[in-house]
Amino acid sequence: MKRRPEPELMEGAEQALAYAQADFSESNTLFIKLLAELKPGPLHGARALDLGCGPADIVCRFLRAYPNATCDAVDGSTAMLDQARATLERAPGLAPRCRLLLECLPSPALAPGQYDLVLSNSLLHQLHNPQVLWQTVRETARPGALVLVMDLMRPASAGWAEALVATYTANEPELLRTDFRNSLFAAFEPKEVEDQLQEAGLSELQVGVVSDRHLAVFGRLAAP
């Protein structure tokens, strides 16, 4: 099935609120589980970068799981960062350990070579040019940094896409059902992501299928 890109940013307040209120606990729990399987250790003093943080649910899950780490959380949507700020305000003790940044990629505001982990969930499929993500990973991470990028995986057919919409968004508002459908059409296949990594000079990272609708890119960057 041919890829069909979607708008890169969720800029509307209604769309951002619907996304923030949706139940993504299954996939967000999977993200943190995948991170734990990479054996990051206690992350004492570690600086993480979350690219496309959305409403910051994964940021909060990460900071709770690794209480000695901090996180810079980046999103290009003001409306989405408003939701992220509200999420952090409801999470006692987490807000001081997270810095929210309104930036589109690539961004010169992100310090080069300063992050011990680079994380991203559900950003890749939104990008018209996926190399801006991989360029940012390469430029902002320290040598040996841990990388975990999870995203939707494009189904093989429109029928398969509709089956996933029916399975996972049956009880969601029509706005979210439409967004999910569009995101599935905009997502990449694993081989396409492997080719992106080769082009970006990140061949040390691996690509794996981690659910019926998700793929993940994971590993450590090469040390000098």
Side-chain angles (χ1 to χ4, degrees):
M1 186 172 69
K2 186 176 180 181
R3 182 179 187 238
R4 188 172 68 200
E6 64 177 348
E8 289 194 327
L9 297 176
M10 290 187 181
E11 296 184 291
E14 179 184 3
Q15 188 180 29
L17 178 61
Y19 190 85
Q21 291 178 338
D23 183 7
F24 293 111
S25 57
E26 180 186 350
S27 58
N28 291 357
T29 298
L30 173 61
F31 186 93
I32 297 300
K33 178 176 179 286
L34 292 172
L35 179 59
E37 290 174 354
L38 295 175
K39 302 185 185 306
L43 300 180
H44 288 292
R47 293 183 65 188
L49 176 64
D50 183 359
L51 299 171
C53 67
D57 182 69
I58 281 182
V59 171
C60 290
R61 290 171 185 266
F62 168 76
L63 293 174
R64 290 191 188 102
Y66 301 96
N68 297 301
T70 60
C71 185
D72 285 353
V74 179
D75 206 283
S77 165
T78 300
M80 198 62 80
L81 281 187
D82 287 342
Q83 295 299 325
R85 193 169 293 106
T87 301
L88 286 162
E89 288 172 353
R90 294 191 297 269
L94 298 189
R97 295 166 50 210
C98 179
R99 184 171 62 139
L100 298 177
L101 301 172
L102 179 64
E103 297 290 338
C104 291
L105 305 184
S107 169
L110 300 178
Q114 295 299 306
Y115 294 99
D116 303 289
L117 300 91
V118 181
L119 312 173
S120 182
N121 180 54
S122 295
L123 172 64
L124 180 61
H125 73 270
Q126 297 179 24
L127 299 173
H128 294 175
N129 176 13
Q131 285 302 321
V132 300
L133 174 60
W134 306 123
Q135 173 189 338
T136 301
V137 169
R138 190 177 63 247
E139 292 178 352
T140 59
R142 296 180 187 275
L146 193 64
V147 175
L148 176 59
V149 174
M150 192 171 88
D151 205 89
L152 292 171
M153 177 174 59
R154 191 166 80 251
S157 68
W160 185 359
E162 289 303 324
L164 290 172
V165 171
T167 299
Y168 293 106
T169 61
N171 299 318
E172 298 290 355
E174 184 57 34
L175 175 63
L176 278 178
R177 290 170 60 84
T178 299
D179 279 349
F180 183 49
R181 181 182 296 106
N182 291 342
S183 293
L184 288 169
F185 276 95
F188 294 98
E189 297 176 344
K191 179 59 168 63
E192 292 171 331
V193 177
E194 290 173 356
D195 292 343
Q196 293 167 17
L197 295 173
Q198 288 288 335
E199 180 182 345
L202 294 171
S203 56
E204 65 267 41
L205 300 180
Q206 300 179 54
V207 181
V209 175
V210 295
S211 85
D212 62 349
R213 61 199 186 282
H214 293 101
L215 57 79
V217 175
F218 53 90
R220 289 189 180 274
L221 298 190

